[in-house]
Amino acid sequence: MTGLNLSQFKSLIVRPALEAVSLGGDKSVNLLTGTCVVESGLAWLQQLNGPALGIAQMEPATHNDCWANYLRYQPDIANRILATCCLSGLPDAGIMVWNLRYAVLMARVKYLRTPEPLPSATDAAALSTYHKQHYNTVLGQANAAANTSLFQQAINA
């Protein structure tokens, strides 16, 4: 199976989406690009045998929690996300399947809820560990050591 071109995904989806909501910078861009590579291989928009949706494979419950317990209290960020993604109201999690920018931005929101600062933009091992700890969780199947090479690809793209 083939997916999206990594360099194009990073330059045409991730970087502009993050910059449009003032949450950009190389650390964010590389973390979110790597997250999407690890989570979906830039190919899967719906998890096989599971509930996760979109290029960042976020579960609807996580999506809804981000809105109910974070974005609800961060109206500036919420409104920038909605405007960037041409959405209004409270978006359904299913939008992450067809709106790549929205999926990336919701993954960024999940990371925003973490008090730990983002690691260096060029440290693939640290980015992979951060992803495992703060996005995939301890119970998830991601392997930080095994995924370091995927984060390196994201950095290099």
Side-chain angles (χ1 to χ4, degrees), residues 45 54 85-87 94-101:
L45 298 177
C85 298
C86 301
L87 301 171
I95 292 171
M96 293 186 293
V97 170
W98 57 266
N99 191 320
L100 298 177
R101 287 186 176 190

Side-chain angles (χ1 to χ4, degrees), residues 56-80:
Q57 293 291 286
M58 180 178 282
E59 294 186 6
T62 303
H63 169 273
N64 295 343
D65 184 68
C66 286
W67 276 100
N69 295 306
Y70 184 79
L71 290 170
R72 174 180 173 187
Y73 304 103
Q74 305 291 330
D76 289 344
I77 295 172
N79 289 331
R80 289 194 308 257

Side-chain angles (χ1 to χ4, degrees), residues 15-83:
R15 186 174 301 282
L18 292 170
E19 288 176 355
V21 298
S22 302
L23 294 172
D26 289 340
K27 292 177 184 180
S28 291
V29 170
N30 290 343
L31 176 63
L32 271 295
T33 303
T35 295
C36 293
V37 171
V38 167
E39 293 292 332
S40 69
L42 298 186
W44 297 99
L45 298 177
Q46 184 173 11
Q47 183 180 21
L48 298 177
N49 303 313
L53 299 171
I55 202 81
Q57 293 291 286
M58 180 178 282
E59 294 186 6
T62 303
H63 169 273
N64 295 343
D65 184 68
C66 286
W67 276 100
N69 295 306
Y70 184 79
L71 290 170
R72 174 180 173 187
Y73 304 103
Q74 305 291 330
D76 289 344
I77 295 172
N79 289 331
R80 289 194 308 257
I81 289 171
L82 293 173

Side-chain angles (χ1 to χ4, degrees), residues 75-139:
D76 289 344
I77 295 172
N79 289 331
R80 289 194 308 257
I81 289 171
L82 293 173
T84 297
C85 298
C86 301
L87 301 171
S88 62
L90 181 60
D92 182 81
I95 292 171
M96 293 186 293
V97 170
W98 57 266
N99 191 320
L100 298 177
R101 287 186 176 190
Y102 183 65
V104 167
L105 292 174
M106 289 307 297
R108 182 65 182 105
V109 167
K110 180 158 173 45
Y111 284 123
L112 281 175
R113 299 175 73 182
T114 302
E116 187 177 332
L118 297 180
S120 166
T122 58
D123 187 338
L127 289 167
S128 186
T129 299
Y130 194 90
H131 161 262
K132 175 62 180 169
Q133 291 174 343
H134 304 295
Y135 193 86
N136 185 259
T137 77
V138 175
L139 299 176

